[in-house]
Amino acid sequence: MLLQKIIEHGFISRADLSKITGLNKATVSVQVADLLHEQLICETQLEHHSVGRRPIALTINEDAGYVLGIDLDYKSIIYTILNLKGKPVYEKEETLDSEDYDLIIQAIITRIKEFQLQYSHLPYGIVNAVIGIHGTVKKQDGSIRFNPRYRWLQKNIKEDLQKELTIPLFIENNANLSAYAERVYKHHHSSNLLTLILTSGIGSGIIIEGDLQRGFHGYAGEMGHMIIYPNGEPCRCGNHGCWELYASEPRLIRKLEAELQVTDLTIPTIQEYLEKDHIIVKSYMDRYLQYIAIGLNNIINLYNPETIVINSQLLKIYPGSIQKLKGHLISSVSEYGELVLSDLGNRSCVLGACAMGIQHFLDVEEIQLSIPEKQHDTAESPVCF
């Protein structure tokens, strides 16, 4: 409880902790002494402009240990390390040259061991690693049921990694981590939040009353395989007319390539077309918004979310996309709070992984963090002593 209050306030005195928690000062002093001994918190003198001794406040010892977030995407992997206050320590995206499961597992093991050695001077070193998987993850044991792009089936990644690693590992679906990140870093106020990721297939993370909803096995949120067109296009899942066949970014890009008779069409190139008011590209984008709206109407009626966050590169470059999308959500029974584009982009999964790692390590109910800048932050922080 004391850790939770210290996190919430950033800097707080023993006296204020006593007032807020209702614990007597002696109890607070004893518990604080233990936390100081364990190096989880530290004391710092705050700046003030009145006469007398500067007040002493307690704060999280941000460099007691670091958390490692990993986003295991297709042919690429992002490693991000944050300190216990969510400040960036390391961030790098690496290309994977192989699709072989065993080779990729060994590469991850090697990198984690390197990080452990590099930060072994910290009191707790690398405290844990949270890995985001672009596929279905079984919540009971952290195994991969299916990764569609790698075609991995029934792979117990946690067990395979833990054979050579000693640090705690957590395996989670990338969309769940993204939803968690949106709440931790941006939408602190929202206890009923839904995230849609359109950048590969369609993934979604669902938070209801502040809790991630994983379903019975852990496979909840596969919104992309909601059928919106009976007898529509065939999907690799075995059904026809799945939403992601019409509303995912890769599908729109492929359709535009065929229409424009070009290859390797990129998001920046599409943006150039839009800036030139290319009539075909604009018509495809407007139709794309209609497809997105069909699924959104269904989701809103199912979950009545307070906040809907869409993670999409295409919608980011299309002026007025959110307003146009809202124009399609006209049902008299559909109710939601706000509909916004994500500010986290392709960092949402790995930042969510880091945030979850911090919460697991400190064993607190919730945390709130600021979105870390990619570049080095030169601002000075109060010095612990």
Side-chain angles (χ1 to χ4, degrees), residues 325-344:
L325 197 52
K326 288 178 179 179
H328 294 300
L329 305 176
I330 57 176
S331 170
S332 61
V333 298
S334 295
E335 292 287 343
Y336 63 95
E338 59 179 342
L339 174 63
V340 297
L341 289 174
S342 173
D343 290 332
L344 302 179

Side-chain angles (χ1 to χ4, degrees), residues 223-246 251:
M223 305 286 189
H225 295 286
M226 165 174 49
I227 297 173
I228 65 168
Y229 279 109
N231 304 314
E233 297 179 32
C235 181
R236 63 187 174 217
C237 75
N239 285 321
H240 289 73
C242 290
W243 189 29
E244 74 171 28
L245 299 178
Y246 303 88
R251 294 292 295 197

Side-chain angles (χ1 to χ4, degrees), residues 35-47:
L35 291 172
L36 287 168
H37 178 72
E38 293 170 6
Q39 300 185 64
L40 292 174
I41 65 173
C42 59
E43 295 176 314
T44 183
Q45 288 184 328
L46 298 179
E47 291 291 341

Side-chain angles (χ1 to χ4, degrees), residues 37-86:
H37 178 72
E38 293 170 6
Q39 300 185 64
L40 292 174
I41 65 173
C42 59
E43 295 176 314
T44 183
Q45 288 184 328
L46 298 179
E47 291 291 341
H48 75 139
H49 303 289
S50 58
V51 177
R53 188 172 181 269
R54 288 189 297 173
I56 294 176
L58 303 169
T59 187
I60 293 295
N61 182 5
E62 59 189 71
D63 293 318
Y66 295 155
V67 293
L68 171 61
I70 301 175
D71 179 2
L72 178 55
D73 202 350
Y74 183 67
K75 291 296 187 78
S76 79
I77 185 166
I78 300 175
Y79 294 97
T80 297
I81 297 175
L82 301 185
N83 70 18
L84 297 182
K85 284 189 176 179

Side-chain angles (χ1 to χ4, degrees), residues 276-295:
K276 296 175 181 177
D277 289 326
H278 195 287
I279 189 169
I280 293 177
V281 175
K282 288 188 72 175
S283 66
Y284 266 76
M285 285 296 298
D286 288 333
R287 182 62 173 160
Y288 179 61
L289 290 175
Q290 292 177 346
Y291 285 136
I292 295 173
I294 292 172

Side-chain angles (χ1 to χ4, degrees), residues 145-162:
R145 177 177 178 265
F146 182 57
N147 182 301
R149 300 196 72 184
Y150 280 115
R151 313 298 294 180
W152 293 342
L153 182 64
Q154 304 294 350
K155 298 290 187 181
N156 198 328
I157 185 172
K158 182 175 181 179
E159 181 179 288
D160 293 336
L161 289 169
Q162 210 77 74

